Amino acid sequence: KTLFVPSTIDRDVFKNLPKSEARAELGLPAEAKLVGTAGALYREKGIADLFGAWDTLKLDKELHLVLAGPQDGSIPLPEGDRVHYLGSISHKQVATLFSALDVGVMCIPDVLFGKYCFPQKAYEMLACGLPVVASEVGAVASLLEDFPATLYQYGDSTSLAFAIRLQLENRQLVELPIKDWRSVVAEIDAEIRSALYC
């Protein structure tokens, strides 16, 4: 018998913190509208979509862009006093960031990795009560298929900017069951016991 065991998240870390508390901890503006992401800020990871969308979104003077994660020099970060680069932050601080944002963005590239990777970042954002926007690619597209307003066409920064604006206005929260590691391990334990004592 083959047992499929998905990856998952630590619900003790990824949980919805008060927005004011999360922003204060990270030194982010308390009253601004914040859109952003955390992860590898590499061109091959699709981040150019978000940077392109920012060229349009920055016309809204209340909106700020927040980025966290390593860089490899493949694409320059946007500049300006409303762009906040936090560098590489800890796992716990990523959860704090997701509680601080108004919209979280996932630019999943339309390549084999993007099509088949497990949507762990989506689960992390959703567990923090964060409205999300993601490229319509692979497993993330399947995860969010009942919430089409949260999806954009990969490679189209105009489509992404539109989806982000829509989320800023409507704050559509995606309600999905997210198992933690305790739940996943309990299912594995039950299967093993069943096999041993059948």
Side-chain angles (χ1 to χ4, degrees), residues 44-90:
E44 69 178 23
K45 295 290 187 178
I47 197 65
D49 284 0
L50 179 55
F51 294 176
W54 177 246
D55 285 340
T56 301
L57 293 169
K58 67 184 179 184
L59 298 176
D60 178 351
K61 301 302 182 184
E62 296 180 2
L63 190 59
H64 291 232
L65 177 65
V66 186
L67 304 166
Q71 303 177 69
D72 65 356
S74 60
I75 185 168
L77 297 184
E79 298 180 349
D81 59 3
R82 289 185 289 122
V83 177
H84 308 272
Y85 175 54
L86 306 179
S88 294
I89 58 178
S90 71

Side-chain angles (χ1 to χ4, degrees), residues 36-37 49 103-109 119 121-122 125-126 131-145 147-156 159-160 163-164 167 174:
T37 195
D49 284 0
V103 176
V105 180
M106 293 167 282
C107 302
I108 310 300
K121 188 182 297 183
M125 288 183 174
L126 297 178
V132 299
V133 172
S135 51
E136 194 171 3
V137 174
V140 173
S142 298
L143 185 73
L144 301 176
E145 63 183 350
F147 307 89
T150 67
L151 296 168
Y152 81 95
Q153 187 66 41
Y154 177 72
D156 185 347
S159 170
L160 174 54
I164 290 171
Q167 276 291 51
V174 175

